[in-house]
Amino acid sequence: MEQRIGSSSQPVEGAGFDPAFIPGITAPVSAKRQDTEPEDAVETEETDSAEDTDAPAEEATEGAEGEDEPDGPVFEAADRRARIVADRKGVRLRLDEESCEFRWDEIGAVETEAPRFGKRFTITVHTPDRRWYPIEIEATARAHFKEWEEQLDAVLDAYFED
């Protein structure tokens, strides 16, 4: 079964949608180029927004430091590329620069798979709308698999409602 992500259709460009389009002579004008402002205006907006974002970022880090430690079990596993965290907020997956977060009410099932050979532990989050999000964590030793299974089971027992 294949899982489709996003739309497979491409936007249509050409004379039917842009009366100024002449094939071979002019390139179609994209919507991004039409909405842009002069460079001077963009630069001033960037400097203003950079000044405004400094203060909230500091407040956010202060709030994160002041938070109490989570009550209840927490599961966390990571390797050089992937990371999974499951706690009272839900499950968060991260692979390289991509990440996703699921609240407990958005999760249909959590599946684990330990390979017979090798050191890649697979955790798959299933959603009620029949989508699944697998992540593989490379363990330093196969002995971590049992430990990770127990920790994840404790988190699921505490927070996940069937």
Side-chain angles (χ1 to χ4, degrees):
M1 182 169 150
E2 290 186 29
Q3 184 177 18
R4 295 182 185 164
I5 299 174
S7 175
S8 62
S9 64
Q10 297 295 324
V12 179
E13 295 179 342
F17 293 94
D18 184 9
F21 178 74
I22 301 171
I25 297 178
T26 60
V29 178
S30 66
K32 290 181 184 177
R33 285 184 38 199
Q34 290 176 348
D35 294 337
T36 58
E37 298 176 4
E39 291 181 20
D40 296 335
V42 173
E43 288 177 15
T44 57
E45 287 179 18
E46 289 176 1
T47 56
D48 293 341
S49 63
E51 293 171 3
D52 294 340
T53 57
D54 289 342
E58 291 173 4
E59 293 173 10
T61 55
E62 291 173 4
E65 292 171 1
E67 289 181 6
D68 296 333
E69 292 199 16
D71 51 342
V74 175
F75 169 71
E76 188 171 340
D79 65 5
R80 59 186 170 81
R81 294 184 61 205
R83 177 182 193 82
I84 180 171
V85 177
D87 57 12
R88 64 182 171 86
K89 296 178 184 177
V91 177
R92 291 176 297 285
L93 306 175
R94 184 168 168 248
L95 180 64
D96 296 329
E97 289 83 34
E98 300 296 321
S99 63
C100 58
E101 184 172 339
F102 303 95
R103 294 185 320 264
W104 288 111
D105 60 341
E106 297 175 323
I107 297 174
V110 177
E111 177 185 15
T112 61
E113 182 182 350
R116 187 170 180 187
F117 303 104
K119 297 180 183 177
R120 291 191 176 266
F121 185 70
T122 304
I123 300 170
T124 306
V125 176
H126 296 270
T127 60
D129 60 349
R130 295 187 180 206
R131 292 205 179 255
W132 62 96
Y133 301 87
I135 191 163
E136 289 183 339
I137 306 289
E138 187 171 345
T140 54
R142 289 183 53 83
H144 289 296
F145 293 167
K146 185 175 182 182
E147 177 186 327
W148 287 347
E149 290 256 1
E150 291 171 356
Q151 290 176 357
L152 185 59
D153 283 343
V155 170
L156 293 174
D157 289 342
Y159 304 117
F160 186 64
E161 297 177 9
D162 294 312

